Amino acid sequence: MSDTKSILQMARGAFQERVDLEMAKVIDNILDPNTKPTQKRKLTLTIEFAPDDDRQNIGVGFTVKPTLAPLVPARTTLWVAGENSTGEC
């Protein structure tokens, strides 16, 4: 049996923690009644590998970026009363 670990376990679970954090934001955005319910949302995971000259050590950086649905515009109606000849509304 292989002891290969998931990439999500890197950095003592920090990668998974950040994915979970941003996923919670996506779910909150989906449940927000001020957003369009059918709008697609996404998570972009970027992993960068920077090996050294000897190819022995590899620096790994990662970012997790959510793309959320924007808020729908709020709408209302204003009623404007004009002034009469005496200056009263």
Side-chain angles (χ1 to χ4, degrees):
M1 177 172 239
S2 174
D3 63 343
T4 303
K5 305 271 183 189
S6 168
I7 196 165
L8 292 177
Q9 295 173 338
M10 291 176 57
R12 298 182 184 167
F15 188 83
Q16 183 174 357
E17 183 179 301
R18 291 185 185 187
V19 170
D20 290 346
L21 178 68
E22 298 303 330
M23 184 64 186
K25 291 178 185 178
V26 171
I27 297 300
D28 287 346
N29 185 257
I30 290 170
L31 297 176
D32 186 343
N34 294 306
T35 62
K36 185 177 176 185
T38 58
Q39 177 81 35
K40 291 184 180 180
R41 283 80 163 174
K42 70 179 175 179
L43 282 180
T44 303
L45 312 175
T46 302
I47 307 170
E48 294 182 331
F49 301 92
D52 66 5
D53 289 337
D54 297 326
R55 302 170 200 243
Q56 297 297 310
N57 295 304
I58 304 169
V60 181
F62 53 86
T63 57
V64 183
K65 179 184 170 193
T67 301
L68 306 175
L71 296 176
V72 294
R75 301 205 185 276
T76 189
T77 303
L78 293 177
W79 183 71
V80 180
E83 292 183 6
N84 61 22
S85 61
T86 63
E88 297 175 352
C89 289

